Amino acid sequence: MGAGGPGGKPGGGPPPVFSGIIAETFPINRNIEVPGTILANETTDMQPEISGRVVSINFKEGTNVKAGALLVKLFDGDLQAQLKKLAVQLTIAEATEKRQKELLAINGTSQQDYDNASLNVNNIKADMDLLKVRIAQTEVRAPFNGKLGLRNISLGAYVNPSTIITNISQLNVIKVEFAVPEKYAHEMLPNKILTLHTADQDKVYYATVIASQNLISAETRNLLVKAIVKNPDQRITPGIFVEVSVGLGYNANAIMLPTQAIIPSTRTKRVIVLRDGKAVFQDVKTDFRDASRIEVTEGVNLGDTIITSGLLTIKEGMACKVTLEKK
């Protein structure tokens, strides 16, 4: 605030002098920087479906595996023995069914006897299918292509469905999760391209928005967004912090004011405009902001003189003068 009393009363001396600027347009790239967290594209703990003793471990910690690769095998000797027994029974049952069919063709047996023989064959086959399912449950296989974590069991260990053998994560493609203020929620459309970088790497990665939460958080007034990132070298590890740059478009004629020129209140924002030598409080709407300036979208016209200092001492209609700040 310059010289002169804050009141600016007639006959009480010259009006006070404040700093100010002329509202002008500036070209801006509307980008916001928000923190994000890296997530694996897919990740899961590997646990057995049934209880049993580990008879083989077929993976190395920290290696990449293909979907379907056998990781751990549990003891299935008893099930294999039952399967062999049923296979013998099936051979006999099928031979019996064949004889009954031949006899039925010459009326040498009843339809009921043939149906019973056929039913016996089908029952044995169903029992064998059930055993094969149980045998498959003794195998822990990779559900997708991914990288394995640390091994938590040893050969011969007795495990159950709550035992975590290891974990697997898909890292050649990863996700980044971040939140944007509600005013930018409409910008977060699928396939929107973003950029991100980590604190310890100079390389810039590109991410593509895949989805956003279907509601805005009432606590933070932010929208949660997920984007997918190609990570072929697997240099980005899930859980790390990244800086996400969200492009909001280019505006060649944005009116940008210093942030200190904006007077916030409960329901609105205001600036003080000098008109005919007097201070006028003007409601405004704002949008994008950078480190030192904020975009005004309504309430200020080109060429308006905006007061930027002494805002707390100025009253509506007060006579004052403005010294324009150097650009």
Side-chain angles (χ1 to χ4, degrees):
M1 182 174 70
K9 296 179 181 179
V17 180
F18 301 95
S19 299
I21 62 167
I22 301 297
E24 298 176 323
T25 59
F26 297 86
I28 58 169
N29 281 313
R30 300 168 67 244
N31 295 321
I32 59 172
E33 302 286 335
V34 294
T37 301
I38 293 296
L39 308 172
N41 185 45
E42 301 288 350
T43 186
T44 187
D45 291 331
M46 300 304 301
Q47 297 168 267
E49 294 186 57
I50 61 174
S51 299
R53 177 169 52 86
V54 176
V55 295
S56 69
I57 297 176
N58 305 307
F59 70 92
K60 293 183 179 180
E61 298 168 296
T63 58
N64 291 301
V65 295
K66 297 289 186 179
L70 178 63
L71 305 180
V72 169
K73 176 67 176 178
L74 304 184
F75 176 76
D76 67 351
D78 55 337
L79 300 177
Q80 293 288 354
Q82 293 179 47
L83 187 60
K84 289 179 181 179
K85 179 180 178 181
L86 287 175
V88 173
Q89 293 177 0
L90 179 62
T91 301
I92 297 173
E94 287 177 335
T96 301
E97 180 194 28
K98 182 179 179 181
R99 287 194 299 270
Q100 290 293 331
K101 185 175 182 181
E102 292 172 348
L103 290 172
L104 182 63
I106 59 174
N107 295 321
T109 188
S110 67
Q111 181 69 44
Q112 183 177 359
D113 288 341
Y114 171 74
D115 290 343
N116 288 337
S118 179
L119 177 62
N120 189 37
V121 170
N122 292 330
N123 284 339
I124 294 173
K125 287 181 177 180
D127 289 340
M128 293 179 70
D129 289 341
L130 180 60
L131 269 176
K132 290 175 182 178
V133 170
R134 294 179 62 188
I135 290 171
Q137 289 176 329
T138 66
E139 301 173 347
V140 180
R141 296 182 177 270
F144 47 78
N145 296 347
K147 185 176 182 179
L148 298 173
L150 299 179
R151 175 163 59 90
N152 300 318
I153 62 167
S154 297
L155 192 64
Y158 188 85
V159 297
N160 57 58
S162 65
T163 303
I164 298 176
I165 295 170
T166 185
N167 61 15
I168 183 172
S169 298
Q170 193 176 71
L171 301 181
N172 61 328
V173 176
I174 54 177
K175 294 174 183 174
V176 58
E177 185 178 81
F178 59 96
V180 297
E182 61 179 330
K183 63 174 6 176
Y184 304 123
H186 65 281
E187 300 275 358
M188 297 297 102
L189 300 176
N191 299 319
K192 182 178 180 65
I193 303 299
L194 316 170
T195 59
L196 59 91
H197 62 272
T198 63
D200 60 342
Q201 296 182 29
D202 295 330
K203 183 177 179 180
V204 175
Y205 292 84
Y206 294 92
T208 303
V209 173
I210 54 174
S212 61
Q213 185 59 278
N214 56 8
L215 50 85
I216 292 173
S217 170
E219 291 77 19
T220 63
R221 296 299 175 189
N222 288 338
L223 177 70
L224 192 64
V225 183
K226 279 187 180 180
I228 198 163
V229 186
K230 292 183 178 179
N231 184 37
D233 53 7
Q234 299 188 16
R235 293 178 61 189
I236 305 182
T237 305
I240 68 170
F241 167 87
V242 293
E243 195 72 32
V244 183
S245 179
V246 182
L248 304 174
Y250 176 78
N251 188 349
N253 298 299
I255 297 178
M256 301 291 290
L257 301 181
T259 53
Q260 69 267 21
I262 307 297
I263 305 172
S265 63
T266 305
R267 296 187 178 182
T268 186
K269 296 176 183 177
R270 291 181 171 185
V271 298
I272 302 176
V273 183
L274 183 67
R275 292 181 180 149
D276 299 325
K278 294 184 178 180
V280 177
F281 284 73
Q282 177 67 50
D283 290 345
V284 295
K285 290 185 178 180
T286 62
D287 192 358
F288 174 73
R289 75 166 62 220
D290 59 21
S292 60
R293 300 178 301 171
I294 186 168
E295 180 186 8
V296 177
T297 57
E298 291 185 22
V300 172
N301 299 316
L302 293 178
D304 284 350
T305 301
I306 310 297
I307 298 175
T308 59
S309 67
L311 304 185
L312 297 179
T313 65
I314 300 175
K315 299 184 183 300
E316 180 77 35
M318 174 178 160
C320 55
K321 291 184 178 181
V322 169
T323 299
L324 295 179
E325 299 176 358
K326 294 182 179 180
K327 297 182 181 179

